[in-house]
Amino acid sequence: MRRLHSVRVVVAMGVSLSLAAGPLLAAEAITREEAVAMAREGRTDHAITALQELQKTAPEDQLVAYDLAVVYTWVGRSREATDAFEKAADGEPPEYVLGPIIRAYRDQKRFADAERWARATERRYPVDATWAKLLGLILVDEGRSGEARTLLEPWAATQPDDAEIWLALGYAALREGDRFGILRAYGHALRFQPENREAMAAMSGVLVHLGAPTATALYQRPVSIASQASQAGELVRWGHDVSPYDPRRRFEGTDKALARLDQLLAQASAARKPDQGLVTRLRRDRVVALRNRERWREAVRETEALRANGDTIPPYVREAEADALLALRRPRDARRGYEEVLRADPTLREAKIGRFFALIEEEKFSAAFQQADQIVALEKPGMREPKQNGLQPNTEWLEAKVLSVQARSFADMPGVAWKMMLPLAEAAPANAGLRKVLGDVAAGRDWPRRSAEEIAIAVSLAPEDKGVQVSLAESAVRRRAWSEARSRVAELADIFPTDIDVLRLQTDLRAHDAFEFQTEIQVNKEKGGSSDVNETNNSPGSGTDWNARLYTPPLAEYWRFVGTWEHHTAQVTEGRALRYRYGAGVELALPDLSVEAIGWNNEGDISQLGASLALVWEPTDHWRFDLGGEYFAGDTPMRAVLNDITANSASFGVTYKWHESRSLAVGVSGYDFSDGNRRGQAHLTFEQRVVDIPHLDVTLRPEIYTSGNSSSDGPYFSPRRDLSAAITCDAEHILWRHFERIFGHRLTVAGGAYWQEFFDTGWTGSVLYEQFFRYDPWVELRYGVRWNRAVYDGEPTPATEGYIRLNLRF
C-alpha cells in the first residue's frame, strides 16, 4: 500500500498553508519571520520597523499586517494596532491575532468594533471560554451588564474554577450596583486568586457601604500572573501558527512559550494560596504547547495527569491530546478524542480533519470517505473554485477537495483519486501543493516518471516545502536514484529527525541496503497409480521443488551479488527424476534497466554447467521489454532430465501497461532440446481490474497460449501443436492491516479449454487459495494450496499442490 502510515492534523494544516501561500510568499517569508523573532526576543522597535518596511514592499501580504498589529499591542500602541489590522482584515484572521486586537479596540473604547470581532471569534471557537469572557467585559463596557451575566453564568457553571469568569461576572455586578453579586463573584475569584487587587477593592467597597469605585478593565490592572498566563497562551498559538522560514528554527516560538508557561506554573504553585484554576489553565496551555512542539508522549502524559487530578478536559486540550495519540500510532484512541471534541462543537474543522486521518489509520475507509466528502460539501457552497484567471482560490475548499482525493489514494484506489485530482491540478497549474499530491497519486498508478515530473514542478514552485521535499526523496527511491535518495533523506533527517515520513524513508533505505533472502518450497501430488507412479505417461509427475536465493547489499549503488540453490524431484513413469543446481551471479539494477546473470552447476541425473541471463527494460511508464536466455534451462521437463536430455531456451516479451489496473502482455520463447526437438511457444495475456474498493481487488485475466514441437517422439510431453484459452478471476482481500503489518488472503479461479493435435479438446481449470502476511519492507510470507486439472495427450490429470514462499530482508 503506497501511503503514509502515520499522518497528523498538523500535516493537513501544512498542506493547506502550501496550497494557500504559493511561491510569491515563499520568497518574502523569511523577512517577516525574522521580524517576528525579534519581537519575541523583546526587540519590538526593530520588529515594528522591519514589518513596516515589509508592508511597503508587499502591501497585499495580510500576515505582515497581522503580525505588525500584534506587536503594536505589545507596546501599548492600540490605535496603530487596529489601523494595521483593519488594512488586512479581508478574510479570517489567525487566532493569535484576535485576542490582542479585541483588547486594543476595547482600550480605545471602540466597543462596537470590539464586540463585533469578539462575537465573530466566539462563533468560530465556541468551546473556548476565552472569547466569551472578552465579550462579557465588552458588553459591560457598553452598559449591557445583564446580557454579560446571561452570557457568562453558564460558563461559570461548567468551569467554576476559572477565576477570570468570576472576575468578569464581578465586573458586571459592579457596574449594575448589585452588591450581593459583587460579593459572590469576587469572592469566588479570590478563592483562586487571593491577591487580586480588583476583587479585594470591590469587596472592601461593598463591605464598608461605599459607592462603587470607578471600574478598571480586567486587562488594564497591574500585570498579574493571570494576565501573564493569557499572554503565554497567545505565545503558544503564535509560536505554532507563525514559524520561522528556516525549518530548523520552527520550534523557537513554541519553546519560548513553553519556558514562559513553566516559569508561571512555578510561580503560581509557590503562592501562599495557589490559584488552582490558574494552575490548571497553565497546565492545559502546556498540553497544547507540547503538542505543537511534537513532544507527543509528554502531551498525552500531561493530559492524563490533568484527568487524574479531577480536571474536566476542555475540547481544545482534548483535541491536542488526540493529535498526539494519532502521532503515537494510537488511531482508535485519537478518533475517540476527536469525536468527543466534535460532540462539543460539530463545526470544528481541524477536529474533523483529525478524525479523517484517524479513520484512515484504522482502515475505516468508508467512514473516512464520508468525513472527507462532508468537509467538501460544507466548504463548497458559495466558494470559488480554482481558475486560471489569476483569482485566489478558496484554500479551505481546495484543502477539503485534496483530503477527499487522499482518502481514495490511501485506500489503494489510485484510479479514482487520479480522476478527482487531475482537474484540480490542471485548473491551478502553478500550485505546488496540488502538483505534489498529483505526483503522489501518479506513483500509486505505477507511473514513476510522470510522478517525478509532477514533483519536479512542485519543487520549482515551493523548493523549501517539507512535503514536497519528502515526495522528491520518495520519487528518487522509486526511480532507483539511490545517491540522490540518500542525500535527500539525510538532509530531511537532520531537520525533521522525528517526522514519520522521514523515518519511513530511512527504513526503506535500510531495507534496500540489507541482505535479501528469497525461498519457496512447493509439493505437487498428481493423481496416479501405486507408488506415486503416474497413470498418464507424459504428465510432469508428482514431486517437490525447493529454491532459495540470497542477495548481498548493493555495491557501487546498482550492483548486487546473488547466490542461489534449487532442488527438484519428480516421480515419472521411468522412476524418480532428480535435479539440483547451485549458482552465483550478479544483478545490475539501473533506473530503467535491470540485468541478472548467473552461472550454474547442475547435479543429479545430469551433471553439467549452465547459465542464465535475464534483462528487463522499462523505457516509459507504460512499456516493458523482457529478454532472457538459458543454457540448460531451469524449466527443462524432469522426465527429459531423467532420460539425459537437456534444453537451452530464449524468450522475449512485451508488456503495455495503461496503469495499475490494466495491461496487455505478449511473449514468445523457443527451446532447443539435445535430442533434436525444437519447441516454440507464444502467449497473449490481458489483465483488467474490475473491482477496486478498499481492502478488495478483483482482476480478470484472459489468456491464450499455443506451442509447437518439431518432434513428439521424445520421452516427455511434446505435442506437435496445441492451443489453450482460459480466463482467471483473481480476488485479493485484506483481512487486517495495522500500519506496516498486513494480513490477507487470495482466491483465484480459472477455467478454459485445451486442444492438442490428434486428441479431443478437454476442459481445464484450477482453484487456488493462499494467505499472506507482509511486514513492509522486511518480511513477506505466502502459503497456499491449489487444485489443478490439466490435460495431457487427451487424458485429464488432476493435481494438488501446496506451497510456501518467504521473502526476508535482514
Side-chain angles (χ1 to χ4, degrees):
M1 184 175 185
R2 297 173 175 84
R3 67 177 173 92
L4 303 183
H5 294 289
S6 181
V7 281
R8 301 183 299 274
V9 176
V10 291
V11 174
M13 295 172 67
V15 171
S16 178
L17 181 60
S18 172
L19 297 175
L24 181 60
L25 290 182
E28 299 173 349
I30 189 169
T31 304
R32 181 175 69 85
E33 301 303 344
E34 287 180 345
V36 170
M38 286 190 288
R40 288 174 179 155
E41 293 165 2
R43 295 185 291 154
T44 51
D45 290 341
H46 293 85
I48 288 171
T49 301
L51 289 167
Q52 287 172 335
E53 290 300 318
L54 182 57
Q55 195 173 39
K56 292 177 184 177
T57 59
E60 76 287 351
D61 190 342
Q62 292 181 325
L63 295 178
V64 173
Y66 287 141
D67 291 343
L68 179 60
V70 172
V71 177
Y72 275 139
T73 67
W74 284 15
V75 293
R77 295 161 67 173
S78 299
R79 180 67 190 190
E80 292 167 279
T82 53
D83 287 346
F85 175 77
E86 288 166 1
K87 290 180 181 178
D90 188 26
E92 192 173 79
E95 184 183 3
Y96 69 88
V97 178
L98 294 166
I101 289 302
I102 293 169
R103 296 184 187 107
Y105 279 124
R106 188 166 173 244
D107 290 344
Q108 299 172 65
K109 302 188 184 305
R110 296 172 61 181
F111 300 129
D113 290 326
E115 180 186 351
R116 176 167 57 88
W117 281 106
R119 287 193 182 278
T121 309
E122 187 198 23
R123 287 194 297 270
R124 184 172 164 189
Y125 305 105
V127 295
D128 188 343
T130 301
W131 314 108
K133 289 181 283 187
L134 269 175
L135 179 58
L137 293 170
I138 295 163
L139 290 172
V140 176
D141 291 334
E142 294 179 296
R144 296 151 64 187
S145 299
E147 291 182 50
R149 294 172 75 168
T150 300
L151 170 71
L152 292 168
E153 282 171 356
W155 284 103
T158 58
Q159 298 187 22
D161 57 351
D162 189 327
E164 289 187 355
I165 294 176
W166 292 111
L167 287 169
L169 281 168
Y171 181 36
L174 191 65
R175 292 293 292 268
E176 284 187 320
D178 178 0
R179 292 180 178 179
F180 177 77
I182 293 170
L183 292 174
R184 175 176 176 271
Y186 281 126
H188 277 294
L190 286 171
R191 289 173 55 203
F192 305 114
Q193 295 184 6
E195 299 178 0
N196 187 281
R197 297 182 182 182
E198 177 187 344
M200 287 189 290
M203 292 187 70
S204 297
V206 172
L207 292 173
V208 297
H209 303 286
L210 296 176
T214 302
T216 55
L218 182 61
Y219 292 97
Q220 292 175 332
R221 64 182 185 270
V223 178
S224 65
I225 293 180
S227 298
Q228 295 177 62
S230 296
Q231 294 175 2
E234 291 169 6
L235 277 175
V236 171
R237 289 188 287 271
W238 199 359
H240 180 251
D241 295 342
V242 183
S243 57
Y245 186 67
D246 182 355
R248 292 178 176 83
R249 300 171 54 206
R250 65 192 181 279
F251 294 130
E252 283 184 358
T254 300
D255 286 338
K256 289 179 180 178
L258 269 170
R260 185 62 176 147
L261 287 169
D262 289 341
Q263 181 185 27
L264 292 172
L265 262 172
Q267 293 178 20
S269 300
R272 182 169 54 88
K273 292 183 178 180
D275 179 350
Q276 294 303 321
L278 177 60
V279 170
T280 298
R281 174 183 163 191
L282 288 166
R283 291 180 65 184
R284 290 170 175 174
D285 284 344
R286 193 171 185 274
V287 171
V288 177
L290 288 169
R291 184 276 311 271
N292 296 348
R293 186 58 178 81
E294 298 183 10
R295 289 160 60 175
W296 314 115
R297 296 187 188 281
E298 292 177 68
V300 172
R301 282 199 299 266
E302 184 67 20
T303 310
E304 291 172 347
L306 282 167
R307 201 175 277 119
N309 289 342
D311 183 27
T312 301
I313 305 300
Y316 74 95
V317 178
R318 189 72 171 99
E319 183 178 356
E321 181 190 31
D323 291 347
L325 289 168
L326 186 57
L328 292 171
R329 294 189 162 194
R330 294 169 58 183
R332 184 167 67 171
D333 294 335
R335 174 178 53 82
R336 290 171 176 169
Y338 293 125
E339 289 173 349
E340 183 179 322
V341 172
L342 289 169
R343 281 194 294 271
D345 180 9
T347 67
L348 287 178
R349 191 170 187 275
E350 288 78 8
K352 292 178 184 177
I353 295 174
R355 180 176 181 269
F356 161 78
F357 281 117
L359 289 167
I360 288 291
E361 299 302 352
E362 282 191 276
E363 303 285 316
K364 296 179 181 293
F365 291 113
S366 295
F369 294 166
Q370 184 180 12
Q371 181 72 84
D373 296 342
Q374 194 178 77
I375 298 172
V376 173
L378 289 173
E379 297 292 351
K380 189 172 182 179
M383 300 300 182
R384 184 168 65 249
E385 298 189 14
K387 304 291 183 183
Q388 289 181 282
N389 56 7
L391 294 177
Q392 177 72 16
N394 179 275
T395 56
E396 290 191 349
W397 178 87
L398 199 53
E399 182 191 299
K401 291 290 286 184
V402 170
L403 280 178
S404 191
V405 170
Q406 289 179 313
R408 277 71 184 179
S409 182
F410 294 156
D412 287 339
M413 298 171 62
V416 177
W418 180 262
K419 290 178 181 178
M420 297 171 64
M421 191 67 215
L422 187 60
L424 294 175
E426 290 178 340
N431 189 300
L434 297 180
R435 287 289 192 177
K436 180 261 184 196
V437 175
L438 187 67
D440 292 342
V441 176
R445 304 223 74 186
D446 289 341
W447 297 338
R449 293 161 189 81
R450 175 65 185 270
S451 174
E453 291 172 2
E454 296 295 339
I455 294 168
I457 294 171
V459 170
S460 69
L461 296 169
E464 302 300 327
D465 183 89
K466 186 197 80 171
V468 171
Q469 288 295 324
V470 168
S471 290
L472 192 61
E474 292 173 336
S475 178
V477 170
R478 284 190 295 269
R479 296 282 292 121
R480 300 179 189 167
W482 300 112
S483 294
E484 178 188 348
R486 288 190 179 87
S487 174
R488 294 191 182 282
V489 172
E491 184 176 353
L492 285 166
D494 181 55
I495 303 171
F496 309 102
T498 61
D499 184 87
I500 193 66
D501 299 328
V502 177
L503 293 173
R504 177 179 49 78
L505 278 166
Q506 289 178 309
T507 298
D508 289 344
L509 285 178
R510 284 197 302 272
H512 169 70
D513 292 338
F515 284 93
E516 181 178 3
F517 177 69
Q518 302 173 356
T519 188
E520 178 180 2
I521 301 174
Q522 179 176 304
V523 179
N524 182 61
K525 178 67 171 69
E526 286 187 359
K527 181 181 178 181
S530 60
S531 303
D532 294 333
V533 176
N534 294 278
E535 295 177 345
T536 305
N537 291 338
N538 283 328
S539 65
S542 301
T544 62
D545 299 280
W546 183 8
N547 60 69
R549 289 192 174 200
L550 178 65
Y551 291 89
T552 67
L555 302 172
E557 294 300 312
Y558 299 111
W559 296 88
R560 291 197 300 177
F561 290 113
V562 55
T564 184
W565 179 84
E566 296 182 6
H567 186 278
H568 307 278
T569 66
Q571 194 70 37
V572 296
T573 302
E574 294 87 348
R576 181 174 180 269
L578 170 66
R579 178 186 180 185
Y580 63 91
R581 61 178 186 165
Y582 49 88
V586 64
E587 177 196 67
L588 171 65
L590 298 171
D592 300 324
L593 177 71
S594 62
V595 181
E596 184 177 85
I598 299 176
W600 298 90
N601 182 53
N602 293 273
E603 298 293 344
D605 292 325
I606 296 178
S607 296
Q608 181 177 309
L609 296 178
S612 62
L613 177 70
L615 181 149
V616 178
W617 180 39
E618 297 177 279
T620 73
D621 284 339
H622 303 288
W623 288 99
R624 170 184 169 129
F625 300 90
D626 292 83
L627 181 65
E630 287 192 79
Y631 180 72
F632 196 173
D635 58 350
T636 301
M638 289 298 291
R639 193 168 176 216
V641 172
L642 181 60
N643 286 275
D644 204 27
I645 299 171
T646 65
N648 304 324
S649 69
S651 62
F652 176 73
V654 179
T655 302
Y656 184 81
K657 192 171 189 177
W658 283 266
H659 41 68
E660 82 292 343
S661 297
R662 183 185 303 145
S663 66
L664 178 68
V666 60
V668 294
S669 57
Y671 292 79
D672 182 7
F673 288 86
S674 60
D675 65 350
N677 181 34
R678 304 289 184 270
R679 174 182 294 174
Q681 299 177 170
H683 71 87
L684 177 68
T685 305
F686 177 73
E687 286 194 7
Q688 176 64 56
R689 187 176 298 173
V690 293
V691 176
D692 186 8
I693 60 176
H695 299 139
L696 177 64
D697 293 331
V698 179
T699 301
L700 293 181
R701 190 179 304 115
E703 180 175 13
I704 298 174
Y705 165 87
T706 185
S707 72
N709 288 267
S710 62
S711 172
S712 58
D713 298 330
Y716 53 89
F717 186 58
S718 54
R720 282 284 188 175
R721 288 188 299 163
D722 66 354
L723 175 68
S724 70
I727 184 168
T728 301
C729 180
D730 188 338
E732 183 170 293
H733 180 225
I734 302 296
L735 292 168
W736 170 85
R737 174 160 42 200
H738 185 70
F739 296 97
E740 296 88 358
R741 297 175 177 87
I742 302 171
F743 178 69
H745 58 167
R746 176 175 170 233
L747 176 68
T748 70
V749 179
Y754 177 76
W755 168 84
Q756 181 182 348
E757 190 176 32
F758 307 124
F759 295 94
D760 293 335
T761 300
W763 68 270
T764 60
S766 67
V767 178
L768 176 147
Y769 177 76
E770 74 171 13
Q771 294 181 340
F772 57 87
F773 171 78
R774 287 201 298 268
Y775 185 19
D776 292 337
W778 301 102
V779 178
E780 179 173 359
L781 176 66
R782 288 180 177 265
Y783 49 89
V785 61
R786 178 170 61 188
W787 176 86
N788 182 66
R789 184 185 194 270
V791 177
Y792 299 96
D793 293 339
E795 293 293 330
T797 307
T800 303
E801 170 190 304
Y803 63 89
I804 182 169
R805 301 185 185 116
L806 173 67
N807 282 15
L808 177 67
R809 292 179 184 267
F810 60 94

